[in-house]
Every structure is written in C-alpha cells, then in structure tokens.
Amino acid sequence: MAVETRSCSDILVNGVPVTTEAATLAALVAELGHGDARVATARNGDFVPARVRGATQLAPGDRIEIVSPRHGG
Amino acid sequence: MNVIEPHAKPQKPFALYGVDLASRLLLGTAQYPSPDVLARAVEASGASIVTVALRREQARGRKGERFLELIEATGARVLPNTAGCRTAKEAITTAHMAREVFGTDWVKLEVIANDDTLQPEVFGLVEAAAALTQDGFKVLPYTTEDLSIAERLLAVGCEVLMPWGSPIGSGRGLANRYALQSLRAYFPGVPLIIDAGIGAPSHAADAMEMGYDAVLINTAVAKAGAPVPMAAAFAQAIEAGREAFEAGLMGVRDMASPSTPVAGTPFFDLPPPANKPGND
C-alpha cells in the first residue's frame, strides 16, 4: 500500500495534544504502539470500528479516543 | 453424625435476555487492593457476571490486555458499563466501543446526571437505551426506582431494569424501600436487579426477600476489610434472601401473637398478677 506523504496534523489523542504524520486512524493507532492490542476508537465523538480505521482520514483538530478494558462497577 | 446439607436447594432459574445464569450476584471489578484479590473475590462470590469498563489507553500501554486476561480467566460473563458518561451520545459511543473490544452486545447503560449523587440522567438514559436497542444491544439500564421511567425503558426494548438501592458507593442499602416494593409489584415478570448502594450482605438479602431477581455489588466487597470472605458472605446472603422469597415470608403484624400454644397453659385459670397495672 502506498504511503501518502503529507504534513503533520495537530490532533487530540485521549485529550492530549499530539502532532502526527499519520494520515489515517489506523496509522495513528499503529504509530502509538497499539498494534494488535484490543483497543477501541472514536473520532470526534463517533465510534470508529476497527475495520474502518484504515479508511478514516485524520484532519487537524480531530479528537481521537483510544480506549481499552479496565476495572468497572 | 449429623450431616448438614450445604445451602444448595434448587432455586428458580434466573435468566437475562434468554441466558440462564447460575448466580444472582453480579460483581463489579473496580477498587480491589490487587488483581489477585479481585480474581479470588470473583471466585468466592460465584458471580456469573462481572462488570467491566473502558478507559483511555496510554501510548504503547498494555493495561487493557492484562486486565482482560485476568477477567477471562475467571470464566464469568463480562458486562461492560458506560460509567462516567454524561450524555446519551457519550454512552452510545462507549457502548459501541465496548461491544467491539469485549465481544458482547450486553451493556450496563449508565448516563450520569450529577457528580455528587451519581444519579441516573433518566432522559438521556431512555434516549440511549432506544438507540442501542435499535442497534442490537441487550441493554441493562442503571435507573432510579421511578415507575414512569421504568415503563419508558421497557417500551424502548429493555428487558431488564437495574434500579439503584441508593447512590453508587454510598453503602446505604435500600433508601426507598416503598418505591422499590412498588416497582417489584408493578412489574412481576421483568427481571429487576438492584444496582448500587448496597453496603452489607443484609441489604442484599433485604432486596432478595423483596423479590428482586439479583443484586450488583462492587464497593461493599472491594472495600471490605477482607474482600474474598465478604464476597462469600454476599453470595450466602443473596442465596438465603432468594430462598426466603420463594418460601414466602410471613405477614407483618402490629401486635404480638404467641408462638407457643395458649391452650393448656398451666395456671391459665388463675387471675392475672395483682401487681400488674391494667390487668385488673
């Protein structure tokens, strides 16, 4: 797959400002080292299924959530 | 030698969304002193269902993987929650993320109205329950004891209701017994689970004696001096309460009624003692 060359985007990942070269949500997830870990994602408040991350383009200002299982009541 | 049978008399089966469950205790997995204590508490509780959550994962973090392995080893069915969500939208997105990560369409739906009371935001709750049911979720809504909200939740497709006993983590037991009894009487066929506020095994037994189908506990076990024995204590209380409900509790009376037969009481024919006021 051809890697698109593009400028960096300033986005928020889990509420923290991040500058990334990733063009897609899938690339971002890989860049952050989640690889094959069981995480779920949302972009600007909407759920993004794992299979759609590769087709989900990132844009400056995006709010990304990357979550994983935790203790809960 | 006397052999005492373990308290394992057959109780009526308990099912949620068509799934038979061996235990009427649902256990939360938060706030335990260690992962090992959590795992042993789940085992001691006999819980068929444990609640779990989603939280932000750090870059290169593996906390989620480790936790999931621990929970999967217990063999219990996981029930993801939407704890902390303040709007229907947040809860809906969280439920979808949970379905993908945990591989279950069951969700303990929470929409929280207020940070101090953690009470359900019931308008958002009904809205989220409707949307999620449409999307194929099996919704277990954390709600109040309010009958009109209960009716709306059932109308949008919920097949289970989880009214609070009292505010989450307060340990105050059943704050509004009358309303909870009304709810139980009004929906005899709907599985009702007390979620939140249970502080002691006696609170759980109280709920079960009222005919509630199950109880969800977290803080009362996790924050006990010894969580593992406390988990076992709750299991016994819930089983005892259920058995008592099925056996049928006696009615409450205003005045005393002798349990020993009155007929044939010795000295019965004598006049009452003279020194007793009011008996002359």
Side-chain angles (χ1 to χ4, degrees), chain B residues 98-137:
Chain B
R99 179 160 70 177
E100 184 178 86
V101 166
F102 291 108
T104 175
D105 52 12
W106 288 31
V107 64
K108 180 192 159 189
L109 185 61
E110 296 184 36
V111 183
I112 298 300
N114 178 291
D115 286 343
D116 290 325
T117 62
L118 297 179
Q119 67 191 90
E121 199 284 89
V122 293
F123 304 96
L125 180 69
V126 172
E127 181 189 341
L132 290 170
T133 303
Q134 284 286 313
D135 272 327
F137 283 86

XYZ file of all heavy atoms in Angstrom, chain B residues 98-137:
306
model
N -17.318 -0.716 23.482
C -17.285 -1.871 24.381
C -17.691 -3.149 23.651
O -17.106 -4.215 23.876
C -18.211 -1.631 25.571
N -18.682 -3.031 22.773
C -19.138 -4.226 22.045
C -18.007 -4.804 21.208
O -17.832 -6.025 21.129
C -20.346 -3.876 21.153
C -20.853 -5.073 20.358
C -22.273 -4.903 19.867
N -22.407 -3.905 18.829
C -23.563 -3.626 18.203
N -24.663 -4.280 18.533
N -23.617 -2.693 17.284
N -17.222 -3.898 20.592
C -16.123 -4.377 19.756
C -15.007 -5.009 20.599
O -14.502 -6.088 20.253
C -15.550 -3.216 18.940
C -14.461 -3.651 17.984
C -13.958 -2.488 17.154
O -13.055 -1.764 17.611
O -14.499 -2.288 16.050
N -14.639 -4.344 21.692
C -13.490 -4.820 22.476
C -13.828 -6.073 23.285
O -13.024 -6.993 23.388
C -12.982 -3.703 23.411
C -12.026 -4.264 24.458
C -12.260 -2.642 22.606
N -15.021 -6.096 23.880
C -15.372 -7.215 24.770
C -16.123 -8.328 24.042
O -16.339 -9.403 24.604
C -16.211 -6.721 25.952
C -15.459 -5.854 26.924
C -15.697 -4.491 26.992
C -14.503 -6.405 27.774
C -15.004 -3.690 27.893
C -13.808 -5.607 28.682
C -14.066 -4.243 28.737
N -16.561 -8.066 22.827
C -17.242 -9.104 22.065
C -18.583 -9.507 22.643
O -18.978 -10.674 22.569
N -19.295 -8.558 23.250
C -20.631 -8.846 23.773
C -21.571 -7.693 23.419
O -21.141 -6.536 23.386
C -20.610 -9.045 25.304
O -21.970 -9.209 25.757
C -20.009 -7.860 26.031
N -22.827 -8.036 23.155
C -23.788 -6.961 22.875
C -24.572 -6.570 24.133
O -25.503 -5.797 24.077
C -24.718 -7.315 21.708
C -25.391 -8.657 21.882
O -25.332 -9.228 22.996
O -25.993 -9.146 20.902
N -24.168 -7.123 25.273
C -24.760 -6.696 26.550
C -24.072 -5.416 27.006
O -22.852 -5.289 26.893
C -24.566 -7.758 27.629
C -25.405 -8.990 27.443
C -25.818 -9.515 26.252
C -25.921 -9.840 28.462
N -26.565 -10.646 26.474
C -26.640 -10.865 27.824
C -25.833 -9.841 29.842
C -27.273 -11.878 28.525
C -26.461 -10.840 30.559
C -27.178 -11.855 29.903
N -24.859 -4.497 27.543
C -24.258 -3.276 28.079
C -25.026 -2.813 29.310
O -26.257 -2.798 29.316
C -24.176 -2.165 27.008
C -25.558 -1.716 26.536
C -23.394 -0.958 27.531
N -24.257 -2.476 30.357
C -24.852 -1.850 31.530
C -24.842 -0.354 31.258
O -23.788 0.291 31.299
C -24.044 -2.182 32.791
C -24.630 -1.565 34.039
C -23.674 -1.661 35.220
C -24.075 -0.612 36.247
N -23.093 -0.484 37.322
N -26.009 0.150 30.919
C -26.096 1.527 30.422
C -26.207 2.514 31.579
O -27.162 2.473 32.361
C -27.305 1.654 29.498
C -27.473 2.999 28.803
C -26.289 3.308 27.902
C -28.776 3.014 27.995
N -25.223 3.384 31.661
C -25.234 4.449 32.670
C -25.122 5.787 31.958
O -24.230 5.977 31.126
C -24.027 4.332 33.611
C -23.982 3.094 34.465
C -22.795 3.116 35.433
O -22.448 4.190 35.937
O -22.219 2.036 35.659
N -26.033 6.686 32.269
C -25.874 8.091 31.894
C -26.018 8.853 33.207
O -27.038 8.745 33.884
C -26.930 8.553 30.877
C -26.669 9.995 30.465
C -26.942 7.644 29.651
N -24.967 9.564 33.571
C -24.886 10.142 34.914
C -25.273 11.623 34.894
O -24.802 12.398 34.059
C -23.453 9.957 35.480
C -23.123 8.468 35.602
C -23.300 10.672 36.817
C -24.035 7.666 36.499
N -26.118 11.999 35.857
C -26.663 13.361 35.878
C -25.864 14.316 36.751
O -25.823 15.513 36.489
C -28.106 13.334 36.376
N -25.236 13.771 37.802
C -24.706 14.645 38.832
C -23.505 13.981 39.489
O -23.570 12.822 39.892
C -25.840 14.881 39.865
C -25.412 15.744 41.017
O -24.610 15.342 41.847
N -25.957 16.949 41.076
N -22.414 14.729 39.623
C -21.175 14.143 40.150
C -21.271 13.770 41.629
O -20.567 12.885 42.097
C -20.006 15.121 39.960
C -19.564 15.190 38.505
O -19.933 14.269 37.742
O -18.863 16.141 38.141
N -22.100 14.461 42.365
C -22.187 14.191 43.802
C -23.084 13.003 44.118
O -22.786 12.214 45.016
C -22.715 15.425 44.548
C -21.685 16.548 44.562
O -20.483 16.230 44.632
O -22.079 17.715 44.486
N -24.178 12.868 43.415
C -25.106 11.768 43.705
C -24.943 10.615 42.718
O -25.442 9.528 42.964
C -26.564 12.247 43.617
O -26.810 12.686 42.277
C -26.823 13.387 44.581
N -24.264 10.874 41.603
C -24.115 9.882 40.528
C -25.475 9.291 40.139
O -25.585 8.120 39.780
C -23.144 8.764 40.920
C -21.700 9.210 41.186
C -20.835 8.026 41.598
C -21.094 9.888 39.954
N -26.506 10.114 40.250
C -27.819 9.587 39.914
C -27.999 9.504 38.398
O -27.363 10.237 37.644
C -28.919 10.416 40.541
C -29.048 11.820 40.010
C -29.984 12.603 40.911
O -29.557 13.225 41.882
N -31.251 12.554 40.601
N -28.842 8.582 37.943
C -29.057 8.425 36.510
C -29.687 9.684 35.901
O -30.571 10.284 36.502
C -30.032 7.252 36.421
C -29.917 6.536 37.720
C -29.580 7.584 38.731
N -29.192 10.049 34.721
C -29.813 11.121 33.947
C -30.847 10.403 33.066
O -30.532 9.874 32.013
C -28.756 11.846 33.120
C -29.165 13.218 32.643
C -30.128 13.158 31.477
O -31.370 13.110 31.689
O -29.644 13.167 30.340
N -32.068 10.359 33.575
C -33.033 9.406 33.025
C -33.519 9.756 31.619
O -33.884 8.856 30.858
C -34.236 9.233 33.982
C -33.786 8.546 35.264
C -34.918 10.550 34.290
N -33.486 11.020 31.250
C -33.920 11.383 29.890
C -32.898 10.870 28.873
O -33.248 10.252 27.871
C -34.105 12.893 29.782
C -35.074 13.439 30.799
C -34.622 13.980 31.987
C -36.440 13.377 30.572
C -35.508 14.464 32.938
C -37.332 13.851 31.519
C -36.875 14.398 32.710
N -31.618 11.137 29.166
C -30.550 10.627 28.295
C -30.513 9.106 28.306
O -30.194 8.475 27.297
N -30.843 8.535 29.455
C -30.838 7.077 29.593
C -31.853 6.438 28.642
O -31.536 5.481 27.919
C -31.173 6.701 31.036
C -31.214 5.214 31.371
C -29.807 4.617 31.305
C -31.821 4.982 32.748
N -33.063 6.981 28.615
C -34.108 6.437 27.740
C -33.706 6.628 26.267
O -33.842 5.713 25.449
C -35.472 7.104 28.029
C -36.509 6.681 26.993
C -35.939 6.746 29.442
N -33.153 7.803 25.970
C -32.723 8.092 24.589
C -31.638 7.101 24.146
O -31.710 6.522 23.050
C -32.192 9.532 24.534
C -31.738 9.968 23.150
C -31.014 11.331 23.191
O -31.180 12.072 24.193
O -30.282 11.618 22.224
N -30.636 6.891 25.005
C -29.545 5.977 24.653
C -30.041 4.536 24.584
O -29.640 3.772 23.696
C -28.411 6.101 25.674
N -30.921 4.161 25.495
C -31.449 2.790 25.504
C -32.200 2.499 24.203
O -32.074 1.418 23.621
C -32.364 2.576 26.704
N -32.971 3.487 23.738
C -33.725 3.313 22.488
C -32.773 3.125 21.310
O -32.935 2.197 20.497
C -34.633 4.520 22.259
N -31.755 3.964 21.234
C -30.811 3.893 20.101
C -30.033 2.577 20.131
O -29.852 1.928 19.093
C -29.856 5.083 20.162
N -29.582 2.180 21.300
C -28.757 0.972 21.399
C -29.580 -0.289 21.134
O -29.101 -1.234 20.505
C -28.090 0.906 22.781
C -26.982 1.957 23.003
C -26.550 1.999 24.460
C -25.776 1.668 22.099
N -30.807 -0.316 21.622
C -31.675 -1.472 21.358
C -31.896 -1.614 19.855
O -31.856 -2.719 19.316
C -33.010 -1.307 22.107
O -32.735 -1.157 23.499
C -33.905 -2.504 21.913
N -32.092 -0.480 19.184
C -32.244 -0.493 17.724
C -31.018 -1.089 17.046
O -31.116 -1.710 16.003
C -32.437 0.942 17.201
C -33.819 1.518 17.440
C -34.856 0.903 16.515
O -34.624 0.803 15.315
N -35.970 0.453 17.071
N -29.847 -0.859 17.653
C -28.589 -1.352 17.086
C -28.261 -2.768 17.543
O -27.125 -3.226 17.336
C -27.440 -0.409 17.472
C -27.283 0.722 16.471
O -27.539 0.488 15.276
O -26.904 1.834 16.891
N -29.203 -3.431 18.183
C -28.996 -4.834 18.536
C -28.386 -5.086 19.895
O -28.049 -6.220 20.224
N -28.225 -4.038 20.692
C -27.674 -4.236 22.034
C -28.723 -4.823 22.968
O -29.921 -4.604 22.812
C -27.207 -2.895 22.622
C -25.890 -2.412 22.075
C -25.845 -1.667 20.905
C -24.704 -2.689 22.730
C -24.641 -1.218 20.388
C -23.497 -2.242 22.233
C -23.461 -1.500 21.050
